[in-house]
Structure formats: C-alpha cells, structure tokens
Amino acid sequence: MILRNLDEGIGIALDSLRTNKLRSALTILGVVIGVATVMAMASIVEGVRTQIFNAMNTASPNTFYVVRFFSQTPLNPQHLPYEVRIRPPVNDRDAEAIRRMPEVEHAALWVQVFYRLEYQGVQTQTVLIYGADQRYMDVLGGTLLRGRFFAPGELDGEPVAVLEVESADRLFGRIDPIGKRIRIGGVAMTVIGLYQRPENMFEPPGQQIGAIIPFETARRNYPYDETNGLFISIKPHEGIPVTRAKDLSIAALRRARSLRPGMPNTFDIITQDQILDTISSLTSAFFGVMVALSSVALLVGGIGVMAIMMVSVTDRTREIGLRKAMGATRQEILWQFLVEAATLTLLGGLIGIVVGLLVGVVLKQLMDMQSGVPLWSALMATVVSILIGLVFGLYPANRAARMDPVEALRHE
Amino acid sequence: MSDRVIHVEELVREYPMGGEKVLALRGLTLSIRRNEYVAIMGPSGSGKSTLMNLLGCLDTPSGGDYWLNGQEVSRLTDDALARVRNKEIGFVFQTFNLLPRASALHNVELPLVYAGVGSRERRERAVRALTRVGLQNRMHHRPNELSGGQRQRVAIARALVNEPSLLLADEPTGNLDSTTSEEIMRVFSELHAQGQTIVVVTHEPSIAAHAERVVVLRDGKLDSDTRNRAAA
Ligand SMILES: Nc1ncnc2c1ncn2[C@@H]1O[C@H](COP(=O)(O)OP(=O)(O)OP(=O)(O)O)[C@@H](O)[C@H]1O
Ligand SMILES: [Mg+2]
C-alpha cells in the first residue's frame, strides 16, 4: 500500500523540484551544510584514529612509561596539586631498579623539552627534543638514515645531536648536515646522525620530534619539567605481556622506594592502551561537539524544509482537492508529501555527503593523514537526511491530508 | 431497487455562516436510474453544486440519506468515501482541473494510481479512455498544449478510466465557447448511448436539451422534474 505509490510520490517530488529550482535549492541547503559537516568530521576523526592505531601497532606497541603523575592535560609545574607534590620525581635509581629485572629488555630515564633548532639564521618551529640514551631507536623505533647514533661514551653530556630528517631538510636543504654545528634552544650541538621516525608514528600537532640528544646533555643545558617532561621508558623482552611487565615494574619500584604494603604508589604507569584510550576519548568528544553543531544546521535545514513544504501544500491546494476527488485517501496524500519532503532532504543529504567527503579528503591531504572513506557515516547521513524529511514533512503533509476536498477544489 | 444508481431522501445540507446557518439543500428527494442522462438546472445559489458534491461523495449531508448503488454512503468516514469516489464516481469540472505538468496520459492515469492498478495496465486503460474521447493523437501533450475542448475531453477520459457507475459534471461547458460546448455534449451523448449514467449541471437550456431528464432546483428544493421529449 505504501510502496505502491512510491513512484508517483517521487515523480511528483522531482516535478516540483524541476519547477521550483531556486526554492528547492534553498530548502536543501541547510541539510547539505549539516550533512557535509558531519561527513567531513567523521572522515577526519576516522583518519586521526587510524593514524593513532597504526602508530601504536607498528611503532612500539609494548613500550610503556613511568611518570611522576599521569593526567590527561599537562600540569602547571608552578602550582602542582598536593597529591603530586608529595611524590618524588622519577629518577635514575628508579630506572635502574626496573632495568635489573630479567623480564625487561631496557629501561632508562628520558626527558622531553621543546625548543627551536637553528642553523645559520634558519630556524625550525618549536619541536620536541628527546634527552635519551643510545638505545632510543630500539625502544621507539625509527631508522638511521646517515651518520651514527651517540655512543655510550657520549652519554655523560657530550653536545651531540641526532637530527630528525624533516627538521634537517628545513635547516640544511641539500647541504649534508653531518658534522655541522646547530643550535638547539641556543645551545650549540654537533649533528652526528640523521634519523627518520617510524612510519605511521602518531605525533600530536606541536609535538613533532626534532632531535634526540644524550640525556645528560639535556639535563645539564635545559630547564626541564620534572612532572610533565621526565619519565622512564621501559621495553619488556619479546614475549612478555605488557600487563605482566607493568605489574613487575610496579613491584620493583615500590621496593626501590621502600613503600610498605597499603601505601599508595608514588608514581604512575602509562601504557600505550591508556594513551590510545585518552586520545580516542578526546577525538570522540571532538566528534560529539561537531555532531551537535551540525545537528543545529540540520535542525535549521529541517525547519526550512517544513516552511517550504507548507508553501508547497498551499500552492497545490487545488491539486490536493483533485487527487482526493479521484480517490486518494488521507494516508495516500500524507505519504505523497512525505515522499516529496524526504526526496528533497535525501537529495540534500547526498550532495552533503559528496561535499563533506571532498572537504575531508582535502583536509586530510593538508594534514598528511591517510584513511579510508568511513562508509558507516555515509550510510548514517543518508538515513538521517531521509528521516529529517519525514519528520519535518509530517506537519505540512498532515495538513494536506486533512484538507476538505470541496474547499480544496474551490481554492483560487 | 438495483436499477437505482442514486437515491437521496430528505437531503439537507447546511453551512454555518458566522453564527447563522445557510440552508443550501432543504430536504431534497430524488432518484436516478441506471443509464439515465439527467441535467440539473436552477438559478445561481439554488444548491446545484452542493448537491453534486454530495452525489459525488466529496461532502456528507447534514441530514437525510443517500444510497449509491444501494449502499448507504451518507455516514461514511473520509477514507471510505475516498474509496467510493475512486470506484464509483467520475468527475468533470468546469475548470478542467488537470495537473499542469503532467501529460494527458498521466492525467488520465491518476484515478488508477489511487485504485492501485499496476503501471502497465494503467497505461493501457488510459490509452483506451483517451481513444474513447478521440484524443489518441494527443496523449503526450501537456494541458497547456491543448485547446479548451481538448482539455475537457482529457478530463472526461480521466473521469471514465475507472469505469465509474456515475459520471458527474458541474457546468462542464462553462468555460467553453458554443461550438466546443456542442462537441463536448456530443461526447456525453455517445457515452450515454454506450450505457453511462450521467448527471450534468448547467445553466444553458441548449445544453440541458441533450439530457433525457431535466431536474430544476430552487432554494435548495426540487422545483420541477421533467422528461425531455427531444432527446428521448
Ligand atoms: N462552503 C460554503 N459555506 C457557506 N455557504 C455556502 C458554501 N457553499 C455554498 N454555500 C451556499 O449554499 C448555497 C448553494 O450554493 P451552490 O454552490 O450549491 O449554488 P449553485 O446552485 O451551484 O450556484 P451557481 O449556479 O452559482 O454555481 C448558496 O447560497 C451558497 O452561498
Ligand atoms: Mg455551482
């Protein structure tokens, strides 16, 4: 009964679309904008997630960290809350305690600082500088393109740096950087190697790695943040599950810090899973906000559809009267106008999907991300746009359905 | 009984008009037999259109009864009336009321759409109906590509396509010149000769002369009901 006259309904819709091009275009504009926003966002969020996921899987899935205090947003070092202040910063002895465990392949105290790199007046943006040990690449992956990594003998504070290749390009262009003296945050260092980060490695904006220098070099030359910047990186042996390595590390640290049973830990452990969870809850929140914003666009679009459908119903009062005289029931008239509204919004939705995907592709291109087209969101958008037509078309369609045929036929 | 397509008894239709009531029909009794050709006349405001709307099941009476083909239809719901209109009634209007953007063929198919007829059969029957009114060469024209007389013939084809038991026409020649009016009336006479029951409202005695029976209304009541010798 309802599917029977779908062709008539769609035919009428396309007809009125053809005759009122501008009006129809304005009607569906809101839906186009709303759907395009959701699609673009979905495609970007999908891109970010794919990137993070790949990074976690390929770069260093088993590496985990010990920090003084884990919070999702960086803490202000000047105003640390009490529960942080009572904890000592992580230190060499902590790292040593973990390193001694047979299940652990490597553990070391590292530090992160942020500075610009400079060579003969050319500067990079602020980049992340790792103060690490010679096993950095075993723990976090990556490849050495040229030169060498620093040797154990240089760990006591030699001013040497392994430069990340993109920063090197920025500073040197075609010149060979090996052996050149650059300045990192104003301190002179000699470039000894060229490093490429692992493919798919996830770097949040503003956290691109610029260089790796020996830990002692970093500790001596730069002020660093003992809460947000200092950490122990731990890589368990092949075949040891992260959860086990984590439990053992906690035990080892508690022993090293002489914590009695019942006393709380005075450190936090961060695994990749936690980082993944944090980031994915952040992207979800971001996505949620975008969905809420585009719902507003969709709502406005829906109200537009309703207004235009009201006009359309009034315009076609006589036609409605005629259709009723020819035997159309209320339900059939209702259906006809619902199909018309849904056809309009579906069209808007399809245009919105295409526009949104294009915008998403361009943005991802700009942000150097890769990911597939999120099919579920295209399907969702299609369904949602049809629903908008049905919901917002209901009131005008119902008005048409309830018209008195005699009155309608007499309408001028 | 089975011979009566229409039987109305003491039919009353009143319209509320700002507190007062206008009595458009005040107790009308009338029967029309199968294959009768009836003209309804009367001065303006006498209730002709009101009666036609009731006979066509577009409207329900305030009082009295209406049997259409032996079925009491004066108290049916909207949707039940829509079904009755679809099956039993063919309408021809003074202003044609064609869908302007649809071809003659699609206009004629319209009642079949609501009868749930499949698209192929719909097309075949619409072609047949258009052929019956002599428009087989104009099937794909739109209303604005047709003359007034041709438009009205499309409307007649549309009224016939469901093979209704009753053809109702409210001033079908009101918008046509006298030559074209004669043409349309010839179509009606042919349909009548083929067995169609027809009720036509008109102001023109020359149009009424084509019918076999003339019913005259005055003030919502029957004024006269006479056989037309000339047409018989
Ligand atoms: N919807 C309405 N509301 C109020 N009064 C109405 C309505 N429709 C008709 N009437 C009144 O009912 C009476 C009969 O009207 P009707 O249209 O049936 O006359 P008619 O015989 O068809 O006239 P005409 O020859 O001018 O078409 C008139 O007095 C008219 O004003
Ligand atoms: Mg009238």
Side-chain angles (χ1 to χ4, degrees):
Chain A
M1 162 77 149
I2 279 199
L3 283 180
R4 198 179 66 203
N5 287 332
L6 195 60
D7 55 341
E8 177 79 5
I10 293 175
I12 296 167
L14 294 180
D15 247 4
S16 71
L17 229 142
R18 268 195 292 275
T19 38
N20 295 311
K21 288 198 188 64
L22 182 65
R23 192 210 260 173
S24 312
L26 289 175
T27 310
I28 62 177
L29 191 63
V31 178
V32 172
I33 293 173
V35 168
T37 317
V38 181
M39 286 305 295
M41 286 309 130
S43 126
I44 288 169
V45 168
E46 187 84 354
V48 171
R49 287 199 171 170
T50 312
Q51 209 176 12
I52 296 167
F53 196 73
N54 287 345
M56 297 306 167
N57 271 325
T58 60
S60 45
N62 289 327
T63 299
F64 62 99
Y65 309 94
V66 178
V67 293
R68 185 186 196 182
F69 190 86
F70 176 61
S71 73
Q72 297 204 346
T73 49
L75 297 166
N76 180 348
Q78 259 75 53
H79 297 97
L80 291 177
Y82 174 74
E83 72 261 31
V84 182
R85 268 184 287 132
I86 54 168
R87 294 179 169 194
V90 292
N91 60 35
D92 253 335
R93 271 187 301 111
D94 296 332
E96 179 62 30
I98 295 170
R99 189 160 50 230
R100 270 203 305 264
M101 293 193 301
E103 290 83 359
V104 167
E105 183 186 325
H106 186 67
L109 189 63
W110 290 2
V111 68
Q112 288 184 339
V113 290
F114 293 90
Y115 286 105
R116 289 172 191 273
L117 310 181
E118 193 229 297
Y119 178 72
Q120 294 188 346
V122 184
Q123 275 195 337
T124 64
Q125 292 179 311
T126 301
V127 287
L128 169 59
I129 316 292
Y130 266 112
D133 63 332
Q134 77 284 3
R135 308 246 349 235
Y136 172 89
M137 287 200 300
D138 296 339
V139 177
L140 282 189
T143 40
L144 195 67
L145 296 180
R146 300 257 288 287
R148 59 178 183 86
F149 218 84
F150 32 86
E154 289 166 318
L155 289 178
D156 57 356
E158 287 298 309
V160 291
V162 175
L163 205 55
E164 192 274 330
V165 66
E166 275 173 35
S167 296
D169 282 349
R170 176 96 182 80
L171 291 184
F172 293 97
R174 281 157 194 247
I175 306 169
D176 182 4
I178 306 293
K180 300 283 188 306
R181 281 177 76 75
I182 59 170
R183 288 179 168 274
I184 300 181
V187 181
M189 308 257 171
T190 305
V191 179
I192 57 167
L194 211 53
Y195 151 91
Q196 185 171 45
R197 61 188 168 82
E199 216 172 307
N200 294 328
M201 180 159 179
F202 176 69
E203 294 178 324
Q207 304 234 355
Q208 280 88 357
I209 297 176
I212 305 140
I213 59 177
F215 176 77
E216 257 321 296
T217 315
R219 165 141 60 187
R220 279 185 207 160
N221 290 298
Y222 308 109
Y224 59 92
D225 180 345
E226 293 182 322
T227 310
N228 302 306
L230 198 62
F231 60 99
I232 299 168
S233 70
I234 301 158
K235 187 186 184 184
H237 272 297
E238 203 75 44
I240 306 287
V242 175
T243 42
R244 191 164 125 75
K246 180 179 160 183
D247 290 344
L248 290 169
S249 304
I250 292 173
L253 273 177
R254 289 184 65 91
R255 242 178 288 118
R257 293 190 167 190
S258 319
L259 295 176
R260 281 194 304 276
M263 285 171 72
N265 288 343
T266 52
F267 52 86
D268 280 324
I269 298 225
I270 314 172
T271 61
Q272 306 273 3
D273 282 351
Q274 271 168 292
I275 299 175
L276 198 67
D277 282 352
T278 306
I279 294 171
S280 95
S281 71
L282 282 177
T283 56
S284 297
F286 175 66
F287 188 52
V289 169
M290 285 323 294
V291 166
L293 287 180
S294 48
S295 314
V296 174
L298 288 177
L299 188 72
V300 172
I303 290 170
V305 169
M306 183 147 83
I308 298 295
M309 289 304 294
M310 288 305 285
V311 175
S312 170
V313 165
T314 310
D315 268 8
R316 280 148 60 191
T317 302
R318 273 180 85 99
E319 180 192 320
I320 294 162
L322 174 78
R323 287 178 185 275
K324 289 197 145 193
M326 300 291 113
T329 57
R330 284 185 176 193
Q331 204 191 0
E332 283 165 327
I333 298 290
L334 183 85
W335 180 237
Q336 172 194 322
F337 280 94
L338 284 183
V339 168
E340 179 170 338
T343 305
L344 276 175
T345 51
L346 173 61
L347 192 73
L350 293 180
I351 297 175
I353 289 173
V354 172
V355 172
L357 286 180
L358 286 180
V359 170
V361 164
V362 170
L363 287 181
K364 278 195 280 189
Q365 207 66 188
L366 291 178
M367 302 197 306
D368 197 22
M369 287 196 283
Q370 58 210 33
S371 80
V373 173
L375 200 74
W376 59 269
S377 59
L379 279 176
M380 273 281 288
T382 308
V383 172
V384 165
S385 40
I386 292 176
L387 280 180
I388 287 171
L390 295 181
V391 168
F392 288 91
L394 194 61
Y395 179 70
N398 192 42
R399 236 173 94 134
R402 295 177 161 277
M403 277 183 185
D404 175 63
V406 175
E407 298 282 321
L409 278 167
R410 256 216 305 256
H411 189 86
E412 291 308 312
Chain B
M1 182 69 196
S2 69
D3 199 29
R4 287 202 297 221
V5 176
I6 292 172
H7 180 65
V8 295
E9 224 169 274
E10 291 299 314
L11 207 59
V12 175
R13 180 62 167 106
E14 50 189 32
Y15 295 105
M17 273 289 274
E20 288 178 50
K21 282 175 187 163
V22 179
L23 267 173
L25 287 179
R26 36 182 102 208
L28 183 86
T29 301
L30 181 73
S31 291
I32 295 174
R33 278 178 291 111
R34 190 168 312 287
N35 196 23
E36 265 196 297
Y37 184 178
V38 180
I40 296 180
M41 300 189 71
S44 187
S46 56
K48 303 183 296 294
S49 295
T50 304
L51 177 60
M52 289 297 262
N53 290 338
L54 290 171
L55 295 183
C57 294
L58 286 169
D59 192 15
T60 46
S62 323
D65 295 296
Y66 174 20
W67 286 270
L68 176 65
N69 294 314
Q71 184 196 2
E72 165 71 278
V73 292
S74 36
R75 317 265 181 274
L76 293 182
T77 64
D78 276 12
D79 282 352
L81 286 173
R83 290 279 149 249
V84 172
R85 291 195 292 270
N86 187 248
K87 274 239 250 314
E88 308 291 344
I89 315 281
F91 287 100
V92 177
F93 305 92
Q94 177 175 355
T95 52
F96 320 135
N97 277 331
L98 298 174
L99 299 180
R101 291 187 290 275
S103 66
L105 197 60
H106 189 82
N107 265 292
V108 175
E109 281 183 32
L110 197 61
L112 298 176
V113 168
Y114 296 114
V117 176
S119 61
R120 177 184 296 183
E121 188 187 340
R122 223 150 70 186
R123 171 149 300 226
E124 283 169 7
R125 284 170 67 175
V127 168
R128 242 183 290 144
L130 279 165
T131 311
R132 256 178 106 181
V133 298
L135 281 183
Q136 56 276 27
N137 299 325
R138 295 286 184 279
M139 292 196 296
H140 299 289
H141 287 54
R142 288 178 175 204
N144 63 0
E145 298 160 346
L146 295 170
S147 73
Q150 287 171 331
R151 284 182 213 183
Q152 197 56 304
R153 281 196 274 167
V154 172
I156 293 171
R158 181 180 62 190
L160 292 175
V161 76
N162 259 4
E163 289 158 11
S165 51
L166 181 60
L167 182 65
L168 297 175
D170 194 346
E171 304 195 32
T173 58
N175 281 13
L176 301 173
D177 63 37
S178 54
T179 329
T180 320
S181 298
E182 280 305 317
E183 245 176 65
I184 294 298
M185 293 325 288
R186 264 204 303 284
V187 174
F188 276 39
S189 295
E190 275 164 32
L191 295 175
H192 175 234
Q194 291 161 15
Q196 182 69 52
T197 312
I198 304 174
V199 180
V200 179
V201 168
T202 183
H203 279 126
E204 311 269 332
S206 61
I207 298 296
H210 289 84
E212 4 165 54
R213 179 180 167 196
V214 178
V215 171
V216 179
L217 299 189
R218 190 175 300 276
D219 280 338
K221 280 184 171 158
L222 196 68
D223 187 58
S224 68
D225 185 351
T226 49
R227 302 248 135 225
N228 221 337
R229 247 165 259 272

